[in-house]
Amino acid sequence: MAAGAEPVAAARAQSRQRRARAGDAAAATWVQRVEYAVVRAVAAVLAALPLGVALRLGAMVGTLVYLLSWPHRRIGMRNLAIAFPERSLAERRRILRHSLQNLGRTAVEFVRVPRMSDDELRQMVRFEDEAWWAEAITRERPTGALILSGHFGNWELLVYAHGRRGHPVTMVHRGIANPLIDRWLNDIRARAGTKLVRKARAATGVLRALKHGDLLVLPFDQNSTRGLAVFVPFFGLAAATNSGIARIALRSGAPVVPAFIVRQGRSGQHVVHVLPILEAEHTGDFERDVVYNTERFSRVFEDMVRRYPEQWLWVHRRWKTRPPGEARFY
């Protein structure tokens, strides 16, 4: 880039961000503005409290959701009955309660990370074998890599801590309804170098990211209703699963890296488990290969949920979309 071009580009980027924020503010309803103000005020209080106190408050909120939100509890218990029919009702209730407590702690940690130093983040999040992981992701290859993960542990912290270690990722992102909160959350992500690809423009953005050698995170563990959905077993029951990772891996040759962040008990300490790297398997029948590889990746995800069931988001309607002719679950 020519001398003087970088400051100009930075100024233009800042100008675009200011216009985007102004557009979000103009598009927001008064209810969304009030909602945003309340969320920012709560976040400021949580960020100012000692970490242990804030985590306990987050867990209390999760417990209240478990006790008071009947729709979420009904979905979660339905999912757990599908996944663990052999477990007692009391055990399934315990898993769901702890899952929602983890969600509360996750929210608390995310609003605090912008104030943390790199050293504090390294103490908070460690990798099982960070030297091997750093060597694997910086290895020269003709394309980027696909990260297989999902709404597990503190998934936002996994991406954030990874970026602050000097290895930012690109995420396929679906915005939330409140544009002001969505912009604020994205600004936090951007502090770790995270790049966002809007789901509506995912095809172009994903190809560009892989061409540039990026680490790419796509949603994998949620119910899929679009044309990319294929039905593969998840806990023994057909689940509409996004086949995007398999399709991209098959076409690009990009490796698939399973990575999961696991909270240590009730603490604010986390360990990142990086599982053996997967390569897409080819038989020559592309659509058949898509289903087969999606099933392989789903088995990896299911295995982690079986090992750490309290760390997954059970209140999502994972089996909502059914194969033709099958009854609805929710």
Side-chain angles (χ1 to χ4, degrees), residues 127 133-134 136-139 141 143-148 158-159 162-163 166-172 193-197 205-206 208-218 254-257 259 277:
F127 286 68
W133 173 235
I137 61 177
T138 56
R139 186 181 304 149
R141 54 180 178 268
T143 184
L146 299 162
I147 307 299
L148 174 63
L158 170 61
V159 171
H162 200 266
H167 306 293
V169 306
T170 298
M171 293 175 58
V172 175
T194 304
K195 302 174 188 174
L196 297 175
V197 175
V206 163
R208 184 183 299 115
L210 286 176
K211 184 178 179 180
H212 292 163
D214 290 0
L215 298 170
L216 186 66
V217 178
L218 285 80
V256 177
V257 186
I277 295 174

Side-chain angles (χ1 to χ4, degrees), residues 16 23 31 63 68 77 80 82 85 95 97 106 109 130 132 151 155 205 207 219 232 274 276 316 319 329:
R16 286 195 298 270
V31 173
T63 301
L68 303 178
M77 292 304 294
L80 282 158
I82 293 170
I95 292 172
R97 186 175 66 253
T106 291
E109 288 165 336
E130 187 162 354
W132 173 85
H151 297 78
W155 60 91
L207 292 175
V232 299
V274 182
H316 170 69
W319 289 274
F329 284 119

Side-chain angles (χ1 to χ4, degrees), residues 250 281 283-295:
L250 285 164
E281 296 186 13
T283 66
D285 183 333
F286 182 76
E287 292 303 325
R288 184 177 177 181
D289 290 345
V290 166
V291 176
Y292 174 70
N293 284 285
T294 301
E295 184 173 348

Side-chain angles (χ1 to χ4, degrees), residues 35-94:
E35 182 181 52
Y36 171 70
V38 171
V39 169
R40 290 298 304 267
V42 171
V45 171
L46 292 173
L49 290 172
L51 178 59
V53 174
L55 288 175
R56 286 194 291 274
L57 286 175
M60 287 173 58
V61 171
T63 301
L64 287 175
V65 172
Y66 171 80
L67 293 173
L68 303 178
S69 180
W70 162 244
H72 287 100
R73 189 164 73 249
R74 180 179 62 83
I75 293 168
M77 292 304 294
R78 184 74 176 104
N79 288 341
L80 282 158
I82 293 170
F84 299 116
E86 75 284 359
R87 300 202 183 194
S88 68
L89 182 61
E91 177 67 5
R92 289 184 222 144
R93 286 173 175 163
R94 184 194 66 79

